[in-house]
Every structure is written in C-alpha cells, then in structure tokens.
Amino acid sequence: MLNDLRLRLRSLFKKNAVEDEINDELRFHFDQHVEKLIASGMSPAESRRRARRAIGTDDQIREQYRDSSGIRFVETLLLDVRYGTRILLKNWKPASIAAFSLAVAMALGVAGLSVFNGIILRPPVAAEPKHLVSIYTTVPASDSHNISYPDYEYYRDNNHSFSGVAAFPEQVSRVPMTVGRLDEAGTVESASDNYFGAMGIRPFLGRFFVPGDDEKKVPEAVLTYSAWKRWGADPKIVGKPVVFMGHQRALTIVGVAPENFTGVVFGFSADVITTLAGNSQTFTQRDNRWLRLIGRLKAGVTRESARADVRVLSGQLAAAYPKEDKDRAVVVSPATVLSSEPDAQSTAELISAVLIALALMVLLIACANVANLLLGLATGRKQEMLIRSALGANRGRLIRQLLTESAILCAFGGTAGFLIASVALAQFSQFSAVLGLFGTFRFAVDFRTNGIVLLMTIALIFIASLATGLTPAIYASATNVAGALSGEAVIGGTRKSHVRNALVVIQVAICTLVMVGVGLCMRSLQNLRDVNLGFSARSLTSVMIDLQSNGVPEAQWPNSYRQLKQAALQLGGVQSCSLALELPLIDSNWSTDGIRVVGASDTAQWNQIPVNTVDGDYFTTLGIPLLRGRAFNSSDSKRAPEVVVINHNMAKTYWPGADPIGKQMHIQDGNRVVTVVGVVGDSKYNALDETVHPVIYYALSQHYLPGLLLTIRTRGNPRFWLQPLSQMVRNHGLQLTFLPFTFNEVMSFSLLIPILTLRVVSVLGALALMLAILGLYGAIFYSVNERKREIGIRIALGAQPSHLLKLFLRQTAIISGLGVSVGLFLGVAATILLRSQFYRISPVEMQVLIPVAVAMILISMGIAYMAARPWIKVEPMEAVRHT
Amino acid sequence: MSESHLELPQGTLDLLILRTLALEPQHGWAISERIHQISSKVLQVQQGSLYPALHRLERHGWIKSRWGASDNNRRAKYYELTARGRKQLEAEKTAWEKLTTAVAQILETA
C-alpha cells in the first residue's frame, strides 16, 4: 500500500517526469518492434507503418494509465478550480457582490466566535487552569456571594482538597499615585499573599507575595507588565516605592508580573496588585464579607470531593458561629476567566450565544444571496452543462464542478472576512473607556482571533460552500438535453423560481427578525430612560468626602462636615446641599439592618431592610417629596431618642392603612428601638429596573460616618460646579479620593450596557438590511432578466408596461409579505425567550412589530420597483432578440 | 499478418507477466516477445494491455522497475519480480491450476 501511495504521489507531483517516462517506454517498444520487422525482411517504411498500427492509440495507454493511477480526483479538482475561477472572473459583477456579502457576513461570524472564545473558552492566566476552582457562598436572602476573612482563613487552613486557597476582593479602584517621578492615577486590585502561588505564575521581575505578607503593617505591591512598561520599564524597579496619594501610604514594589497577566478581576487591566495587609481590621470581622476564594485542587482530587470537603467545613462554621454563618451554602465551581458570581457566567454565555446567533443569521442572509446569484449564473450555463453531460460527465461530476465554484467564492469571502475580523478585533484587545464616575479604566479582554477561531472559521466556510452551492448545483445539473439544446425558453415560473422565491423569503424573514431585535433594544432603552426616578436628577453634583483616610479624628467629624456644608452653600448658584452615605443608583447593594415592628410577636422574623444615613436636607436637595411627618432636624442629636424616616412602600407594607408616624421598630444591630418621624416618596435606589421596596433612613446627626457623599443642587448646568467643589474640598485640607461627578454621569453609567447593546445590535441590523436589500435586488433583477422574452412578447401583443410592473410588484409583495410574516413570528418567539433581558417589554410589542413590518414591506416594494423598471421599459424587439 | 487474438482475462495477463519475470528481469518488449514465443505464437499481448498491467502490478508491489540499458544500448525500463511478487505468483498459479482442473472435469463428464 505504501508503494501505491508513493507512486500516486509521484504521478501527482512529478507529472512531467512521469509522462516522459511513459513516452520513453512506449518509444522503446516501438523501436524494438520496428527492428524486429526489419530483421524479418520488411522495408523500414512498411515496418514503421505496421508498428504504428500495432501501437494503437498510445494516448489511450496514457489515459488508461492515468485513470488506473487514481489521481484523477485531485487532477480534476485542480482543473475545476482553474475553470471555476475563470467563470467567476468572467461574471465579475455578481461574483464580487457575492464575495462582498460573504466577506462581511464571515467577518461577523468570526467576530462572534472570537468573543465567545475570549469570554467563555479562554482559561484564566495560570498554570494548569483546569485545576482551579472558585469558592463562594450563596445565601438565600442576599445577593452577596463574598466570604469574610476569618472564614477564608478557616477554609484555607482546614481543607483536605486544595494545595492552596487564595482570596481576593472583586474590586477595582482608581487611585492617584506616584511612582518614581510619575504622578498618575493607577488601577489597583488586591489579593491575598498566597494568590500568585495558588495561580502558579512566575514573576517577570523580582518576586511575588509570600505567605505572611498579609500580616505586615504596610501592604506590598506587584506591578503588572503593562503598568511597568507604561511607567518607564525601569529594570531596577524592584524595591522602589509607590505612594498612594489619598492614603499617604508608600508601598514597596516587590516584583513585576508577566505580560499575559492583566489583573485579578476579569476584564480590567490592573496596574498595581497589593496584599491584603492594611485591611487588618477585617481580619477578625466574621460578618464583613468582601472576599472571593480561588483554590487549586491537589493532584488526584476531584471537584466533587472538594465540594464535599468544603461543604463539611461550611457546616462546621455554621455550627460554631450561628449568628454570622448560618444558612450559608458553599459552592465550588470551575474557575473561568469570569471567576465571579454564577450570574456573570450565565450572562456572558447568553450574550455570546445571542451574538453568535445574530452573526450566523446575517451569514445565512449572505448565503441566500450567493445561492441566488449562483442560480442566476447557472441559467446562462445550461448549454455548457448539457454539452458536458453529452460528452460523458455524470451528474455527480457536474455537481462537483459547481460546488467547487461556490467553494472558491466562500473560501475567498471567508478568508477576507477572517482577516477583517482579526484586524478589527486586534484593535479591541486593549481599549480604555471612561466609566463616568470612576475615571478612565483600561480594559484587557483578549478577543483576538487564534487557532481555535481559525478552525471554526474553516468549518464555517465549508458549511457555507454547501449551503450556497448545493441548490444551484442540483438545479443546474438536472439536464433536459433535447429541450435546452433547441433553445426553448421557459415561459412563466418554473421550479427554479420557486427555489429563488424561497431564498428571498428566507432573507426577508431573517432581516425582519434582526430588525425586531433592534426595535426591542430601542424600546427597552426608551423605557429605561422614561422610568420615574422618584427624585429630580437634573442638576445635582456630588463629591465623596473621606474624613477617615484623611486622618481626621472621629470627634472632629461633625464639625468638619458642618464646615464643608456651609462652604458648599456659599458657592454661587447652589440651591441646597446635603450629606448622605448613599445616593441612588450608585451602589447596586445598600447594607441592610434587621428590623421588627414593636408590637409584633417576639417570634416574628427579623426583616432585612436596606438603609441609608442622611442629613435633614437630603430629601429637599434630591427632590424626594415628604408625604407625612417631618425630615430630620437639629433636635435629632446623639442624646435624643433615635428617629428614622421611612419610604412610602415601607409604610404601606408594615403599617397598612394606619399612620406610621410615632410607631416604633426594633433594630437587630445593637438592639435599639427607633421611632418613625416621617414618610417620604418611593424612588429608585439601586438600579433603574428594580421593583420598589422598603427603605429606612437614619439621621446623620445620630450616626456620623467616616466618609459621606456631599451633594449640591445647582442653578444651571451641574458641570460648572465640578471644579469649585474640588477646590472647596482641597481648601479644607482634604485629599480627594474620587473626583466630583454630576448625576447625569451616574444616569449614563446606569444606561451604559443597554446603550452599548443597542449600538451593537444596530450595526448588525444595518448589515443585515444591507445584505437583504442586495439580495432582493439581485433576485428580482435576475428573475425579470429571465423573463425578458416573455415580457417582450407581452408588450408586442399590447400589454402596458405599467401593467407588467404591477404584476411584478404584486408577485414581490406576496413573497416579501410571506417573509415578513415569518420574520415577525420568529421575532415574537425571540421576544418571549429573551424577555428577561429587556425592560418592560411585552411578548407582542406592537410598537416594534408594526413599524418593522411596514418598513420591510415598503423597502421590498421600493427595491422591486427599481429592479424591474429598466426591463419593463425595454423595446419588445430588443427583449426578444436578447436571447 | 493476421493473427486471431485471444482475449485474455485481466487476471491471466498478470499471471503470465509474473511468470515471465520469475526467470529474469526484462523490459516490456521482451516480456511481450517472450509470451508470444513460449505460447507458440498463440498469445500476442497488445501494448494497450501490457503497459497498464505492468504499472498496476508495480503499484501492488509485486514487481519493481528500474531504468537500464538494453542489449542494443537503448534506454529501457526493466521490471523484476519482488519477494511479494513471488508469493503472489505461487498463489495465482495454484488458483489457476485449481480452476482449469475444475473446468476440465466438467467438460469431460458433461
């Protein structure tokens, strides 16, 4: 068999040499024969003639040789490719439209696959990432999945399944800092001292943290490679300090991480990683939950046994510390790049799936386009196919030839698409975005195309070739020799026009579906924008005041806050000023306190209610209406009985039908009793799309806090007060940890994701529309083209051109009507499936479906008119002669 | 010179070629001459059958080829039997003998 293969390959690659050998062999045979005949007495000329006759056709020998050597397939493939390329070049107009559609659609497909690859498939940067797992807790009532430091220590020290358990907060901060002579704002994350060990990464310069570093007084720092490069790539940076401005802390740089490590938290490009030292006050707070855990499985330990092990440990914790750790189930799951809450993983999967689905739909439209174009080309080559078949080609051979042509188109389009996508995505792998409030963050997500994406692209090209080529190939190779050779034209519709119409229906349906998607995104965004906030967000500017990290002693806090507030009021154009712990829409979670209404039975549960601590001017500054009672005032001091203000929803829930003013509640934390003195209107607290829930406001004068948000209501554009506020704070000798911001920035930040989604889907929609228009135009053009003869005859017989136009328009209306209906049906199905992702969208959203339907039909009619008109106008004689 | 050509089934030609080469390596012309002579001029192998058969046998690995000089110093392609070819020859000879014996028996008795 090897012999066989060797000879076949030799015939393939050294074709000329082999041909020469055959020639030589046959010539030798001929010469010997001639010699023999001469020796037997014949004349040379006669001998030659005889010998030649005996040879027969040596071409036949060569053919037989070639046939039997079985390299026919590859040879014919190469022939097909050459021929196909010639044909495509000859019809370069439709071919380039086809290639263009394919390139665009393939680029989208590749982009979708790369995103999927980048988010889902790529493992975290670590040694043997398959052995890494995430450990976090789930509690039925709350959203927080974090673990406290004492619990982390317990898991770390008492497990039997992990060679290392590390912890890190899922937090990224922008901190102004000084490195050497550079003053910058850097992105800071932190991790436990054993983090790098557990991840199994080796440092690029210097060293990483070692166990024990968390106990030091001052945290140490590791730079990421990108930060090191950006800050001068100093080879002697190890040992130098980096000073955090707000906290006046100098951290020693112990090392630089390798290039592929972008940080602890997915997606963000961090600059500095610090140890957990400096958060030592949390080391004993079992109810302060702020860490995520990541563990490396010991050799031979399965995830299941690790899960069981951790469950035992959490049971022990729950038993030993029922107050803090009861009801906490622990989850162990494989660590992915999104090694965070379970929601992030499934959301990411959903996003990727939707993106890929959309991209594939656009690809389908493009394939239908190309199929239609190839079908159009096939008409013109009917005669060619017939001649080939008459010469002995069987149907399979013809189909193979036509498939080769579509494969060339798809390969070309696919390669172009892949290159376009690679270039575009390479731009994206490092980009920064201004996240309004927090400053400029650099994102590091690796969406670049790689080998895996390339393989998937090749598979796509293969599928596309079949999808586009099979139908035209089957159609074109079905030959009716006699009829077609005699030049009979086909009048009216045929099986081919059914195929073409079906393709158009598919295109229109998919385009409609994508348009419905765009409409849903727009509607959802509009709904979010129109949400009743419950307060007036228009002219608010805020700044974060952190007295504690500025070293102000606790006794001074009331005074400092008062001075700041007065200074703010004295800035020109400030209508009112307030201090509060939380502002709406900034934090996705407010802390909660357990409350129980006084008078309820003692066995009643503690209800967890979100709380905010505000001063007396909070409600007027934000424009939240006071419904009953009063807001906080100067009589609510530390020595006076504790008072609270509640929102309308809480009043309704806990004191239905009664006046809550004067009623009292127990507060679990500290076992206090508070009295309700006021009821305010409901508003949005954490997110634009949340449902309303109870909220309690504490009085700031009874609970001074180390850091607060100072908010002013301005007369005029709030942006003009950003600078004055910074200045004012600095004039009081305080460092700013965060720059001031307006509430408009908060609003746009909340709307960031819906806006981004709308943009992406709109781009896809525009592409889908463009391809569908191209396809529709092409299909109608060719269809009318085919029926030229018929049109000419009809006009010659007296038909009005406008009549014929109406005929075509009616036919188009039926087809696109069918397509739009299918598309709308699919659109409703998609809405039902994806409803949870949108805001206040009903399953049959008329405001979206109707405009889309109308638009699609109008566009189809317009295209039909434009495509058919030139042919209708033509001279009858011209039309008939054109065949 | 008109000779009645007997149509040789494909398998039989292979057997004849292998047998001829069992004696010594020969080129295509010599093989066809040898077969012609030894069969008392009954079998004349045409070029159109001979060379494809030779190439097929080579692909199977039963014979191998090399270029050499003929008796009259022309460049000719010589074929010779390989070890596997010898085994194949034995196998086909046995099969042929069985077949002909069986056919002869039927012709005699019927």
Side-chain angles (χ1 to χ4, degrees):
Chain A
M1 198 208 29
L2 268 175
N3 213 20
D4 185 17
L5 188 63
R6 183 177 61 81
L7 285 169
R8 281 186 203 240
L9 285 176
R10 188 158 176 267
S11 325
L12 186 60
F13 291 108
K14 288 192 171 185
K15 207 142 55 105
N16 286 335
V18 170
E19 292 270 326
D20 287 344
E21 278 188 8
I22 298 179
N23 285 340
D24 286 348
E25 206 175 0
L26 293 174
R27 181 164 304 117
F28 174 75
H29 192 112
F30 176 77
D31 290 342
Q32 295 293 90
H33 196 178
V34 166
E35 250 187 43
K36 177 181 168 197
L37 290 175
I38 292 177
S40 71
M42 218 178 275
S43 73
E46 182 64 29
S47 313
R48 275 212 165 67
R49 241 192 357 258
R50 276 275 154 103
R52 188 145 284 137
R53 233 177 32 228
I55 288 181
T57 28
D58 47 339
D59 277 333
Q60 225 174 358
I61 299 178
R62 273 184 264 265
E63 278 300 315
Q64 275 198 355
Y65 177 72
R66 278 208 220 99
D67 262 343
S68 63
S69 67
I71 45 111
R72 254 299 132 88
F73 180 72
V74 180
E75 263 195 344
T76 50
L77 191 65
L78 291 172
L79 274 177
D80 280 346
V81 169
R82 274 211 334 247
Y83 185 71
T85 317
R86 250 201 347 255
I87 293 278
L88 287 174
L89 285 176
K90 200 168 81 142
N91 297 295
W92 62 272
K93 273 203 208 112
S96 43
I97 294 180
F100 175 70
S101 317
L102 279 172
V104 164
M106 285 296 230
L108 275 181
V110 172
L113 288 171
S114 290
V115 168
F116 175 72
N117 189 30
I119 294 186
I120 307 284
L121 292 181
R122 262 190 235 267
V125 174
E128 289 174 44
K130 281 211 253 286
H131 293 173
L132 290 175
V133 293
S134 296
I135 307 168
Y136 47 87
T137 64
T138 59
V139 188
S142 125
D143 279 333
S144 170
H145 300 278
N146 296 330
I147 296 182
S148 63
Y149 193 92
D151 283 359
Y152 147 64
E153 280 185 315
Y154 192 79
Y155 287 118
R156 183 189 65 192
D157 302 331
N158 293 306
N159 75 84
H160 305 288
S161 332
F162 302 107
S163 61
V165 175
F168 60 93
E170 196 100 29
Q171 247 174 37
V172 182
S173 338
R174 292 284 294 177
V175 179
M177 55 180 67
T178 311
V179 178
R181 269 188 277 270
L182 272 176
D183 249 328
E184 268 236 359
T187 312
V188 178
E189 297 170 352
S190 43
S192 60
D193 46 26
N194 54 358
Y195 176 80
F196 288 104
M199 294 296 270
I201 313 174
R202 322 201 111 268
F204 172 69
L205 276 184
R207 64 167 180 87
F208 284 141
F209 308 138
V210 293
D213 280 348
D214 282 343
E215 262 84 58
K216 295 203 180 143
K217 284 227 111 186
V218 180
E220 295 172 322
V222 164
L223 292 186
T224 59
Y225 186 84
S226 59
W228 177 72
K229 260 206 123 178
R230 224 173 45 241
W231 291 340
D234 179 2
K236 296 212 195 63
I237 195 128
V238 176
K240 295 218 177 115
V242 52
V243 184
F244 284 4
M245 296 301 278
H247 305 259
Q248 297 296 354
R249 243 192 215 150
L251 286 73
T252 318
I253 300 174
V254 299
V256 176
E259 190 169 358
N260 56 358
F261 181 77
T262 54
V264 168
V265 181
F266 169 67
F268 288 95
S269 176
D271 298 320
V272 179
I273 319 279
T274 71
T275 59
L276 296 182
N279 293 93
S280 45
Q281 73 274 15
T282 68
F283 288 4
T284 49
Q285 292 170 345
R286 203 169 281 277
D287 56 353
N288 187 345
R289 285 171 255 279
W290 61 297
L291 294 167
R292 293 291 165 97
L293 270 51
I294 190 164
R296 178 172 285 279
L297 292 168
K298 275 196 193 139
V301 176
T302 63
R303 234 175 285 143
E304 266 314 313
S305 49
R307 205 168 274 149
D309 185 15
V310 172
R311 216 170 289 152
V312 164
L313 292 176
S314 77
Q316 293 170 349
L317 278 173
Y321 306 98
K323 185 156 94 90
E324 293 91 350
D325 286 333
K326 196 156 93 88
D327 288 339
R328 296 201 154 252
V330 157
V331 179
V332 169
S333 71
T336 60
V337 182
L338 310 159
S339 73
S340 57
E341 52 232 275
D343 299 331
Q345 178 75 4
S346 52
T347 311
E349 282 173 356
L350 184 65
I351 294 179
S352 312
V354 170
L355 265 181
I356 292 184
L358 280 175
L360 284 180
M361 283 198 275
V362 175
L363 185 60
L364 257 183
I365 298 182
C367 285
N369 263 5
V370 177
N372 247 334
L373 283 168
L374 288 177
L375 207 54
L377 282 180
T379 330
R381 295 166 65 193
K382 268 302 209 176
Q383 292 210 332
E384 174 201 336
M385 292 297 131
L386 288 167
I387 292 173
R388 281 177 185 258
S389 148
L391 281 177
N394 62 5
R395 193 154 178 201
R397 180 77 190 79
L398 291 177
I399 290 184
R400 208 169 74 208
Q401 182 191 334
L402 291 165
L403 274 181
T404 313
E405 285 165 21
S406 76
I408 296 174
L409 266 180
C410 290
F412 187 76
T415 318
F418 184 80
L419 288 172
I420 295 174
S422 296
V423 168
L425 287 171
Q427 307 283 344
F428 260 103
S429 58
Q430 293 273 338
F431 63 97
S432 18
V434 181
L435 282 191
L437 307 177
F438 308 106
T440 310
F441 278 95
R442 266 183 211 87
F443 289 95
V445 199
D446 200 356
F447 285 146
R448 280 170 305 177
T449 53
N450 65 356
I452 299 180
V453 177
L454 181 61
L455 283 178
M456 294 197 269
T457 310
I458 292 179
L460 259 187
I461 293 181
F462 188 67
I463 296 174
S465 311
L466 283 178
T468 54
L470 212 51
T471 316
I474 293 181
Y475 165 73
S477 56
T479 50
N480 173 10
V481 183
L485 271 179
S486 73
E488 270 171 29
V490 172
I491 307 287
T494 55
R495 201 184 50 178
K496 169 165 153 192
S497 63
H498 289 321
V499 172
R500 172 182 291 146
N501 292 342
L503 287 171
V504 171
V505 167
I506 293 177
Q507 282 180 313
V508 173
I510 296 179
C511 191
T512 310
L513 177 60
V514 179
M515 286 295 132
V516 167
V518 175
L520 288 176
C521 285
M522 278 173 37
R523 194 96 199 100
S524 176
L525 184 62
Q526 194 56 43
N527 286 345
L528 281 172
R529 282 219 173 98
D530 288 342
V531 144
N532 182 13
L533 293 170
F535 62 95
S536 171
R538 240 176 318 144
S539 310
L540 294 172
T541 312
S542 305
V543 64
M544 164 76 136
I545 315 264
D546 193 344
L547 289 185
Q548 181 174 62
S549 42
N550 271 292
V552 177
E554 192 167 337
Q556 279 283 76
W557 290 351
N559 246 340
S560 298
Y561 284 131
R562 197 172 318 136
Q563 286 174 356
L564 284 164
K565 201 165 158 183
Q566 277 179 350
L569 283 168
Q570 278 168 1
L571 293 173
V574 173
Q575 287 180 327
S576 63
C577 173
S578 146
L579 289 161
L581 173 63
E582 305 271 13
L583 280 179
L585 300 178
I586 295 187
D587 246 319
S588 55
N589 262 316
W590 286 2
S591 31
T592 63
D593 270 343
I595 67 119
R596 214 156 58 195
V597 172
V598 164
S601 63
D602 272 333
T603 55
Q605 278 276 32
W606 289 104
N607 294 303
Q608 296 287 341
I609 310 280
V611 302
N612 192 357
T613 310
V614 304
D615 68 0
D617 295 313
Y618 180 77
F619 305 110
T620 45
T621 309
L622 256 69
I624 300 178
L626 181 66
L627 299 176
R628 303 177 85 98
R630 62 170 181 86
F632 304 122
N633 55 33
S634 49
S635 64
D636 303 315
S637 64
K638 265 219 123 78
R639 280 154 296 158
E642 192 174 345
V643 295
V644 295
V645 170
I646 60 176
N647 72 345
H648 179 69
N649 186 267
M650 178 150 190
K652 225 170 46 175
T653 317
Y654 288 92
W655 294 278
D659 184 4
I661 307 292
K663 298 282 196 304
Q664 297 192 311
M665 294 185 279
H666 292 290
I667 306 283
Q668 186 180 23
D669 181 27
N671 231 334
R672 321 179 322 253
V673 174
V674 300
T675 317
V676 178
V677 295
V679 180
V680 292
D682 296 327
S683 65
K684 294 290 174 188
Y685 304 106
N686 302 114
L688 283 172
D689 54 358
E690 66 179 14
T691 46
V692 74
H693 56 258
V695 161
I696 296 179
Y697 297 94
Y698 290 141
L700 180 63
S701 45
Q702 293 180 328
H703 298 277
Y704 277 100
L705 295 167
L708 293 174
L709 283 161
L710 183 142
T711 310
I712 55 174
R713 173 166 290 285
T714 64
R715 197 174 289 131
N717 187 346
R719 289 199 73 77
F720 294 153
W721 275 263
L722 291 173
Q723 201 7 22
L725 267 184
S726 302
Q727 197 54 49
M728 177 201 89
V729 173
R730 265 190 231 122
N731 286 344
H732 276 76
L734 298 169
Q735 291 278 359
L736 281 176
T737 40
F738 284 113
L739 290 174
F741 54 92
T742 67
F743 221 83
N744 297 331
E745 289 172 44
V746 178
M747 289 297 290
S748 13
F749 185 61
S750 321
L751 291 173
L752 189 65
I753 295 196
I755 290 182
L756 217 57
T757 314
L758 177 62
R759 288 221 184 110
V760 171
V761 177
S762 301
V763 168
L764 287 173
L767 280 172
L769 193 60
M770 181 183 72
L771 288 177
I773 288 179
L774 272 178
L776 198 56
Y777 186 86
I780 296 178
F781 189 81
Y782 271 106
S783 156
V784 178
N785 191 11
E786 263 187 7
R787 300 167 65 173
K788 267 189 301 247
R789 228 180 180 196
E790 174 197 349
I791 295 170
I793 293 174
R794 284 185 190 239
I795 295 183
L797 286 177
Q800 296 284 2
S802 56
H803 241 76
L804 289 172
L805 202 57
K806 272 199 215 126
L807 178 73
F808 276 112
L809 286 180
R810 199 169 58 226
Q811 285 181 346
T812 311
I814 296 176
I815 298 172
S816 46
L818 185 60
V820 169
S821 317
V822 172
L824 288 180
F825 179 73
L826 290 174
V828 171
T831 316
I832 296 178
L833 265 178
L834 295 173
R835 201 148 156 225
S836 53
Q837 299 297 319
F838 295 114
Y839 184 61
R840 287 233 195 102
I841 297 284
S842 46
V844 180
E845 188 68 42
M846 277 304 164
Q847 294 208 345
V848 168
L849 296 178
I850 293 184
V852 168
V854 168
M856 287 301 292
I857 296 199
L858 281 179
I859 292 177
S860 328
M861 291 292 106
I863 299 292
Y865 182 74
M866 271 178 12
R869 204 157 167 272
W871 287 109
I872 308 291
K873 287 270 183 197
V874 90
E875 278 293 323
M877 281 317 290
E878 267 290 327
V880 175
R881 205 187 312 133
H882 242 310
T883 327
Chain B
M1 175 172 54
S2 66
E3 297 168 6
S4 49
H5 303 294
L6 281 179
E7 288 296 323
L8 279 177
Q10 196 182 63
T12 327
L13 179 56
D14 289 356
L15 178 56
L16 294 179
I17 293 175
L18 287 175
R19 179 69 179 94
T20 315
L21 287 177
L23 307 172
E24 56 168 348
Q26 296 164 61
H27 49 67
W29 169 254
I31 295 176
S32 93
E33 282 296 282
R34 183 69 66 88
I35 292 179
H36 189 51
Q37 295 299 331
I38 299 187
S39 70
S40 310
K41 310 216 183 190
V42 171
L43 298 176
Q44 173 92 55
V45 186
Q46 295 299 318
Q47 276 173 313
S49 325
L50 176 66
Y51 287 101
L54 283 171
H55 296 141
R56 195 176 58 246
L57 291 175
E58 189 180 8
R59 271 211 325 277
H60 278 299
W62 296 329
I63 61 178
K64 61 180 191 256
S65 66
R66 65 182 160 75
W67 283 91
S70 72
D71 296 337
N72 42 11
N73 249 330
R74 285 211 183 98
R75 207 169 98 92
K77 200 172 187 186
Y78 280 81
Y79 294 91
E80 76 175 304
L81 207 55
T82 63
R84 281 170 61 198
R86 256 172 233 288
K87 278 197 224 130
Q88 182 68 13
L89 172 59
E90 286 311 311
E92 288 206 21
K93 224 165 79 168
T94 319
W96 174 260
E97 277 155 11
K98 270 201 194 147
L99 179 64
T100 47
T101 317
V103 171
Q105 281 178 335
I106 293 181
L107 288 177
E108 276 172 35
T109 56

